[in-house]
Coordinates of all heavy atoms in Angstrom, one line a residue:
V101 N 21.5 40.2 -24.4 CA 22.4 39.3 -25.1 C 23.8 40.0 -25.3 O 24.9 39.4 -25.1 CB 21.8 38.8 -26.4 CG1 22.9 38.0 -27.2 CG2 20.6 38.0 -26.2
I102 N 23.7 41.2 -25.8 CA 25.0 42.0 -26.1 C 25.7 42.3 -24.8 O 26.9 42.3 -24.8 CB 24.5 43.3 -26.8 CG1 23.9 43.0 -28.2 CG2 25.8 44.2 -26.9 CD1 24.9 42.2 -29.1
N103 N 25.0 42.4 -23.7 CA 25.7 42.7 -22.4 C 26.2 41.4 -21.8 O 26.8 41.5 -20.7 CB 24.7 43.4 -21.5 CG 24.5 44.8 -21.8 OD1 25.3 45.5 -22.4 ND2 23.3 45.4 -21.4
G104 N 25.9 40.3 -22.4 CA 26.5 39.0 -21.9 C 25.6 38.4 -20.8 O 26.0 37.6 -20.0
E105 N 24.3 38.9 -20.6 CA 23.4 38.4 -19.6 C 22.8 37.1 -20.1 O 22.5 37.0 -21.3 CB 22.4 39.5 -19.3 CG 23.0 40.8 -18.7 CD 21.9 41.8 -18.4 OE1 20.8 41.4 -18.0 OE2 22.1 43.0 -18.7
K106 N 22.5 36.3 -19.1 CA 22.0 35.0 -19.5 C 20.4 35.1 -19.7 O 19.7 35.8 -18.8 CB 22.2 34.0 -18.3 CG 21.7 32.6 -18.6 CD 21.8 31.7 -17.4 CE 23.2 31.6 -16.8 NZ 23.3 30.7 -15.7
I107 N 19.9 34.6 -20.7 CA 18.4 34.5 -20.9 C 18.1 33.0 -20.9 O 18.6 32.3 -21.8 CB 17.9 35.1 -22.2 CG1 18.3 36.6 -22.2 CG2 16.4 35.0 -22.3 CD1 17.8 37.3 -23.5
F108 N 17.4 32.5 -19.9 CA 17.1 31.1 -19.7 C 15.7 30.7 -20.0 O 15.4 29.4 -20.0 CB 17.5 30.7 -18.3 CG 16.9 31.5 -17.2 CD1 15.6 31.2 -16.7 CD2 17.6 32.6 -16.6 CE1 15.0 32.0 -15.8 CE2 17.1 33.3 -15.6 CZ 15.8 33.1 -15.2
L109 N 14.8 31.6 -20.2 CA 13.4 31.2 -20.6 C 13.2 31.2 -22.1 O 13.7 32.1 -22.8 CB 12.5 32.2 -20.0 CG 12.2 32.2 -18.5 CD1 11.4 33.4 -18.0 CD2 11.4 30.9 -18.1
Y110 N 12.6 30.2 -22.6 CA 12.3 30.2 -24.0 C 10.9 29.6 -24.3 O 10.4 28.9 -23.5 CB 13.4 29.4 -24.8 CG 13.4 27.9 -24.6 CD1 12.6 27.1 -25.5 CD2 14.1 27.3 -23.6 CE1 12.6 25.7 -25.4 CE2 14.1 25.9 -23.5 CZ 13.4 25.1 -24.4 OH 13.4 23.8 -24.2
R111 N 10.4 30.1 -25.4 CA 9.1 29.7 -25.8 C 9.1 28.8 -27.1 O 9.8 29.1 -28.1 CB 8.2 30.9 -26.1 CG 6.7 30.6 -26.3 CD 6.0 31.9 -26.9 NE 6.3 33.0 -26.1 CZ 5.6 33.3 -25.0 NH1 4.6 32.5 -24.6 NH2 5.8 34.5 -24.3
T112 N 8.3 27.7 -27.1 CA 8.1 26.9 -28.3 C 6.6 26.7 -28.4 O 5.8 27.3 -27.6 CB 8.8 25.6 -28.2 OG1 8.2 24.8 -27.2 CG2 10.3 25.7 -27.9
R113 N 6.2 26.0 -29.4 CA 4.7 25.7 -29.5 C 4.2 25.0 -28.3 O 3.0 25.0 -28.0 CB 4.4 24.9 -30.8 CG 4.6 25.8 -32.1 CD 4.4 25.0 -33.3 NE 4.5 25.9 -34.5 CZ 4.4 25.4 -35.7 NH1 4.1 24.1 -35.9 NH2 4.6 26.2 -36.8

Side-chain angles (χ1 to χ4, degrees):
V101 173
I102 293 302
N103 286 335
E105 297 177 41
K106 184 191 297 185
I107 301 182
F108 51 84
L109 285 169
Y110 72 92
R111 186 194 308 278
T112 67
R113 290 181 180 177

